[in-house]
């Protein structure tokens, strides 16, 4: 048997800079990516990846080397610590599709591709690229989500901020809570549905629980 190359694709866009309970999505994605990289390395395979935010994509070529895994983790840390509430948000600019296109150019055949993201901005082009990637490679998607998308609180006030913009929402009011819940929950379900249409295995990871426990449970369930 020969070792195969693996690409860990890690999302550190502004859409990931959010958390309502335990951790930000960006932090959970960073942890999942590090876990995946070390799992692949310990299995004897080559490790590389793509780490991206709203403005740049860092590429690390696959190599069976502890130093290469450390380099990938270092790039993840750099982009994670660069996240700030004042950063611009370019979700509509198609950065996710650009990363998948670059991934497609790097991964010819027989790669393992692990994509860790909230998949914000995913659309039909994303679906097409996911299908192309999975045609000749093993692809797995880890969709990181915040539980607020599934359960908006029904009492008190919710403070939402992005950069200098700050809004307080009175979620105890039905006319506020229901549209917000419909928007957040609908968006999460739409992305999950799109990923399932690509027939790429999908693991749903919550920011409210330890990432390692969820990953262990999901992988055990799939076996």
């Amino acid at each position: 048997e020969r070792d195969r190359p693996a690409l860990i694709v890690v999302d550190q866009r502004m859409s990931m800079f959010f958390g309502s309970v335990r951790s930000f999505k960006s932090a959970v994605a960073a942890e999942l990516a590090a876990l995946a990289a070390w799992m692949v390395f310990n299995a004897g395979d080559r490790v590389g990846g793509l780490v991206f935010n709203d403005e740049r994509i860092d590429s690390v070529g696959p190599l069976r080397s502890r130093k290469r895994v450390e380099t990938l983790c270092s790039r993840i840390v750099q982009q994670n610590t660069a996240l700030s509430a004042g950063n611009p948000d370019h979700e509509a600019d198609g950065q996710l599709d650009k990363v998948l296109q670059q991934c497609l150019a790097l991964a010819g055949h027989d790669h393992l591709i692990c994509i860790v993201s909230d998949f914000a901005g995913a659309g039909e082009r994303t679906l097409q690229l996911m299908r192309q990637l999975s045609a000749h490679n093993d692809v797995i998607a880890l969709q990181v989500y915040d539980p607020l998308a599934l359960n908006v609180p029904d009492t008190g006030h919710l403070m939402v901020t992005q950069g200098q913009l700050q809004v307080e929402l009175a979620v105890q009011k039905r006319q506020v809570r229901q549209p917000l819940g419909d928007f957040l929950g609908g968006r999460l379900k739409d992305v999950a549905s799109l990923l399932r249409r690509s027939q790429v295995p999908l693991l749903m990871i919550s920011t409210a629980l330890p990432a390692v426990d969820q990953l262990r449970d999901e992988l055990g369930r799939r076996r």
Side-chain angles (χ1 to χ4, degrees), residues 12-33:
Q12 292 291 295
R13 293 177 296 167
M14 280 299 292
S15 66
M16 301 289 286
F17 194 55
F18 177 81
S20 66
V21 185
R22 181 178 181 273
S23 301
F24 276 30
K25 290 189 287 182
S26 54
V28 172
E31 186 176 357
L32 288 168

Side-chain angles (χ1 to χ4, degrees), residues 17-190:
F17 194 55
F18 177 81
S20 66
V21 185
R22 181 178 181 273
S23 301
F24 276 30
K25 290 189 287 182
S26 54
V28 172
E31 186 176 357
L32 288 168
L35 287 166
W38 286 114
M39 286 169 65
V40 169
F41 174 75
N42 289 329
D45 291 335
R46 287 174 278 161
V47 182
L50 295 167
V51 188
F52 68 102
N53 58 23
D54 291 274
E55 298 177 326
R56 91 173 199 250
I57 303 170
D58 291 339
S59 178
V60 178
L63 193 66
R64 190 172 184 267
S65 158
R66 179 177 292 271
K67 192 72 176 175
R68 186 55 53 96
V69 178
E70 291 171 354
T71 297
L72 177 62
C73 290
S74 177
R75 298 289 177 84
I76 296 169
V77 169
Q78 286 173 10
Q79 293 211 19
N80 183 264
T81 54
L83 283 167
S84 168
N87 290 359
D89 185 346
H90 300 299
E91 180 185 312
D93 289 355
Q95 184 77 330
L96 175 62
D97 291 346
K98 291 175 188 174
V99 171
L100 295 180
Q101 186 71 58
Q102 187 166 329
C103 190
L104 192 61
L106 292 172
H109 293 263
D110 303 320
H111 280 60
L112 170 64
I113 302 169
C114 177
I115 305 169
V116 189
S117 173
D118 62 355
F119 293 90
E124 290 302 316
R125 177 61 177 156
T126 313
L127 176 62
Q128 180 186 7
L129 289 167
M130 295 282 280
R131 284 174 172 167
Q132 286 180 262
L133 280 171
S134 62
H136 302 291
N137 302 283
D138 291 327
V139 183
I140 185 167
L142 279 67
Q143 184 185 8
V144 183
Y145 71 95
D146 190 273
L148 185 67
L150 298 176
N151 186 24
V152 176
D154 55 10
T155 59
H157 291 73
L158 189 67
M159 188 68 73
V160 181
T161 181
Q162 182 174 358
Q164 295 181 345
L165 177 65
Q166 194 172 56
V167 178
E168 187 176 28
L169 301 175
V171 291
Q172 76 272 18
K173 296 181 179 179
R174 187 174 179 274
Q175 63 266 36
V176 173
R177 184 177 66 255
Q178 185 170 337
L180 180 63
D182 290 348
F183 171 74
L184 294 175
R187 184 173 180 175
L188 178 65
K189 290 169 186 173
D190 286 347

